[in-house]
């Protein structure tokens, strides 16, 4: 019959272990009480590094490329609507990662990416639901984002969409963007859109 080895714990070792365990347990309990005791609290904005709010303006061109071997915008949900007179059938959804450039030429300086989705959300007109992040790559804005969510009636000359937030330089961002179609190719369905962004941030 195999013998089970016995482990001898010195009284002093047991005492030290017990004290460490109990004090750690009590400390964690106290921390939980401090953390979960209050649902909401008021903070000094300066503690978050927030300074006086400022208004910035950006202008760039957004290139939606659906043609060719390497499109930046792809259809992920096809419209089930049959014999639709609309260019974009109700329900059609695209995911995109589009270039943002300084000028209208797609080969001009890259300043960021427009990443998001659009869906044809109207049954009797061309109006998109758009949700996208402008991901900036230029200068002090590199790595920061502005998030836009709204309705885009694409046949209107100027479309306005709200800014709902941001990250990095644009934390706590608000404002709006104006979109104007610069060019649209009926053969390829590729589009270039001028964006003017008016953003309040700290």
């Amino acid at each position: 019959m195999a013998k089970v080895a016995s482990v001898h714990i010195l009284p002093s070792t047991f005492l030290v272990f017990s004290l460490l365990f109990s004090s750690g347990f009590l400390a964690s309990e106290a921390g939980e009480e401090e953390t979960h005791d209050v649902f909401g609290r008021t903070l000094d904005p300066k503690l978050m590094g927030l300074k006086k709010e400022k208004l910035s303006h950006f202008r760039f061109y957004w290139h939606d490329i659906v043609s060719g071997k390497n499109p930046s915008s792809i259809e992920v949900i096809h419209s089930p609507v049959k014999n639709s007179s609309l260019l974009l059938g109700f329900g059609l959804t695209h995911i995109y990662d589009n270039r943002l450039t300084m000028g209208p030429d797609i080969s001009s300086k890259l300043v960021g990416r427009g990443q998001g989705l659009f869906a044809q959300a109207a049954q009797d007109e061309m109006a998109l639901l758009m949700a996208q992040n402008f991901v900036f790559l230029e200068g002090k804005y590199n790595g920061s984002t502005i998030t836009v969510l709204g309705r885009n009636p694409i046949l209107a000359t100027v479309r306005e969409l709200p800014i709902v937030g941001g990250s990095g330089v644009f934390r706590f961002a608000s404002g709006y963007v104006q979109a104007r179609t610069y060019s649209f190719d009926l053969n390829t369905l590729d589009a270039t859109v001028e964006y003017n962004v008016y953003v309040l941030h700290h």
Side-chain angles (χ1 to χ4, degrees), residues 67-201:
S67 65
K69 295 181 179 179
N70 189 30
S72 63
S73 180
I74 61 170
E75 182 181 310
V76 293
I77 299 176
H78 185 70
S79 172
V81 177
K82 305 296 183 184
N83 301 320
S84 173
S85 61
L86 297 178
L87 183 62
L88 299 175
F90 181 58
L92 177 75
T93 303
H94 270 235
I95 297 288
Y96 56 85
D97 179 12
N98 291 339
R99 289 173 63 89
L100 305 178
T101 62
M102 284 282 289
D105 194 312
I106 195 170
S107 62
S108 63
K109 184 177 181 179
L110 181 71
V111 294
R113 312 288 304 192
Q115 298 172 336
L117 62 87
F118 64 74
Q120 171 63 12
Q123 297 188 60
D124 55 0
E125 63 176 313
M126 283 201 258
L128 306 178
L129 165 65
M130 296 195 73
Q132 71 173 319
N133 290 312
F134 293 136
V135 184
F136 294 105
L137 305 172
E138 180 67 14
K140 67 179 182 180
Y141 307 109
N142 184 27
S144 297
T145 66
I146 291 174
T147 301
V148 175
L149 173 65
R151 182 177 187 269
N152 184 355
I154 59 175
L155 295 182
T157 303
V158 180
R159 291 89 70 189
E160 185 175 305
L161 296 90
I163 292 170
V164 297
S167 66
V169 173
F170 303 110
R171 291 173 186 162
F172 301 100
S174 61
Y176 68 97
V177 305
Q178 289 183 331
R180 294 176 174 84
T181 301
Y182 179 84
S183 65
F184 178 71
D185 190 318
L186 285 171
N187 294 316
T188 64
L189 304 183
D190 294 344
T192 299
V193 178
E194 177 189 345
Y195 272 92
N196 279 275
V197 178
Y198 301 90
V199 57
L200 285 167
H201 60 102

